[in-house]
């Protein structure tokens, strides 16, 4: 697969995304004035039918995010996120967001506590019933630690906490990053009491629902999936499944307008058409240009430097620190949390935004690459590949 270089202007401090290959490996970083670039958190898949997480963190010119006892000042905070997407005053009402990732993270509860305490959010612990961590079959014997995927999990639980502070969280840790293990974890998540949304911040190549769709087919539960971080490239599973809500990415900055924020396409946001899976009937009147499943459906902040979240994450099995994370791995749990805030996930939840596009912030500028059909990689009024129908304006579209 040819190398694809992504360049994103990341605003203050001349932050920028370094080159990433289409398979998820890190290309040689491009030097920038402030010495900041973005690095993939998870390694590229080493086998077919295996996924990589879609988290990205800002690092210095040595490829390191220096240890810090305080959040980066440029990182998106819970208050900023909820203001940007007009989520203040909404409640998850005791509903649960499930997060599916690979491998273990022994200090997840401790680190989540640091994050929530830092930003004045209520405690979410196993003792108070807010948090559960289980393996892919629902047991308590957890998989081995993997630093990359543990960083992904930290981003996911922090993003859900930021968007829906009163939501309960269950983290289901798959034994590996294989489609089969991750899919088994999704099925387990769907069976947990109170779960209304399942976030999947990972992806591999396009794949068929005929083979893997049973893992993601859960009417009545919103199953969100990241579209990937390599720009326009075609389908990425499970975002290319007909059963998921495919979540693209934006660059989000504060602005002096009535909303107080402005969004454009994040150049890394994945988009494209599946070669396998059925188009969403709900999208039939939105001119996607795809004969089969088009992604994305909706989007949220994903640019590590413009809207990337300040999160507390593990650098080893025992140590953790603050850094700034982005990627469509940020966007998928945000959207899962908004579904929890809406309380409306009946039927196939990916159809809901198409019935209420006016309740989204339409993203109309920016591009994530070159494509043969304009809307697959360029923002426009209405649906486009990188951002779908747009980003949350409250929970009315969900």
């Amino acid at each position: 697969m040819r190398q694809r270089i992504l360049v994103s202007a990341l605003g203050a401090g001349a932050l920028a995304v370094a080159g990433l290959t289409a398979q998820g490996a890190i290309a040689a970083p491009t030097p920038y004035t402030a010495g900041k670039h973005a690095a993939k958190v998870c390694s590229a898949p080493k086998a077919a039918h295996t996924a990589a997480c879609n988290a990205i963190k800002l690092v210095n010119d040595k490829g390191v995010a220096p240890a810090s006892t305080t959040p980066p000042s440029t990182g998106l905070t819970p208050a900023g996120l909820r203001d940007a997407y007009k989520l203040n005053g909404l409640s998850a009402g005791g509903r649960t967001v499930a997060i599916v990732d690979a491998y273990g993270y022994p200090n997840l509860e401790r680190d989540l506590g640091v994050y929530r305490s830092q930003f004045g959010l209520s405690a979410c612990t196993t003792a108070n019933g807010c948090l559960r961590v289980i393996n892919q079959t629902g047991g308590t014997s957890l998989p081995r630690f993997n630093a990359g995927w543990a960083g992904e999990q930290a981003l996911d639980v922090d993003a859900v906490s930021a968007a829906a502070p009163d939501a309960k969280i269950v983290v289901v840790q798959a034994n590996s990053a294989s489609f089969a293990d991750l899919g088994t974890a999704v099925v387990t998540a769907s069976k947990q009491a109170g779960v209304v949304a399942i976030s999947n911040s990972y992806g591999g190549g396009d794949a068929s629902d005929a083979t893997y769709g049973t893992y993601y087919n859960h009417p009545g539960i919103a199953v969100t999936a990241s579209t990937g971080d390599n720009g326009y490239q075609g389908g990425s599973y499970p975002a290319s499944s007909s059963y998921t809500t495919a979540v693209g990415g934006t660059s989000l900055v504060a602005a002096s307008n009535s909303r107080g924020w402005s969004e454009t396409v994040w150049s890394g946001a994945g988009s494209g058409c599946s070669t396998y899976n059925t188009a969403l009937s709900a999208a039939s009147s939105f001119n996607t240009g795809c004969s089969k499943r088009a992604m994305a459906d909706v989007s949220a902040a994903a640019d590590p430097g413009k809207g990337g979240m300040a999160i507390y994450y593990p650098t080893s099995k025992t140590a953790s620190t603050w850094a700034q994370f982005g990627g469509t791995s940020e966007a998928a749990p945000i959207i899962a949390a908004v579904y929890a805030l809406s309380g409306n996930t009946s039927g196939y939840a990916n159809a809901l935004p198409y019935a209420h596009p006016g309740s989204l912030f339409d993203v109309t500028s920016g591009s994530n690459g070159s494509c043969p059909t304009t809307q697959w990689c360029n923002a426009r009024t209405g649906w486009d590949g990188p951002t779908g129908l747009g980003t949350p304006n409250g929970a009315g579209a969900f």
Side-chain angles (χ1 to χ4, degrees), residues 108-313:
L108 186 154
E109 182 174 9
R110 181 198 71 182
D111 291 355
L112 178 60
V114 172
Y115 177 85
R116 293 179 70 106
S117 176
Q118 172 68 39
F119 294 111
L121 307 179
S122 61
C124 185
T125 66
T126 55
N128 69 15
C130 173
L131 176 69
R132 293 178 62 214
V133 183
I134 57 178
N135 65 27
Q136 69 180 46
T137 57
T140 56
S141 178
L142 302 177
R144 65 177 175 86
F145 174 75
N146 176 282
W149 280 90
E152 173 64 62
Q153 291 177 52
L155 172 59
D156 293 345
V157 295
D158 290 358
V160 170
S161 297
D166 68 331
K168 295 179 180 179
I169 300 172
V170 58
V171 179
V172 188
Q173 297 174 337
N175 292 338
S176 77
S178 74
F179 282 4
D181 281 346
L182 288 164
T184 297
V186 174
V187 173
T188 294
S190 73
K191 296 177 180 176
Q192 304 308 302
V195 167
V196 297
I198 304 171
S199 177
N200 303 276
S201 288
Y202 56 83
D206 193 17
S208 174
D209 278 337
T211 303
Y212 298 106
T214 186
Y215 292 130
Y216 298 93
N217 184 3
H218 303 290
I221 297 175
V223 184
T224 66
S226 302
T227 60
D229 299 338
N230 299 310
Y232 169 73
Q233 61 174 331
S236 171
Y237 204 82
S240 62
S241 169
S242 299
Y243 301 118
T244 65
T245 299
V247 185
T250 67
S251 299
L252 173 71
V253 295
S256 56
N257 55 26
S258 58
R259 176 186 172 189
W261 299 83
S262 176
E263 284 181 287
T264 59
V265 169
W266 173 48
S267 64
S271 67
C273 310
S274 174
T275 59
Y276 299 104
N277 302 320
T278 304
L280 302 188
S281 59
S284 61
S285 63
F286 287 82
N287 186 26
T288 67
C290 297
S291 61
K292 294 186 181 295
R293 183 18 167 161
M295 61 179 212
D297 300 313
V298 292
S299 53
D303 185 332
K306 287 184 177 179
M309 288 181 57
I311 74 156
Y312 195 71
Y313 81 105

Side-chain angles (χ1 to χ4, degrees), residues 340-384:
L341 292 172
S342 79
N344 177 26
T345 57
S346 60
Y348 286 102
N350 57 12
L352 295 172
Y354 291 94
H356 307 282
S359 294
L360 294 160
F361 290 117
D362 194 3
V363 181
T364 59
S365 64
S367 173
N368 69 346
S370 299
C371 53
T373 302
T374 298
Q375 64 266 37
W376 293 351
C377 64
N378 297 292
R380 62 173 186 171
T381 300
W383 184 91
D384 57 71

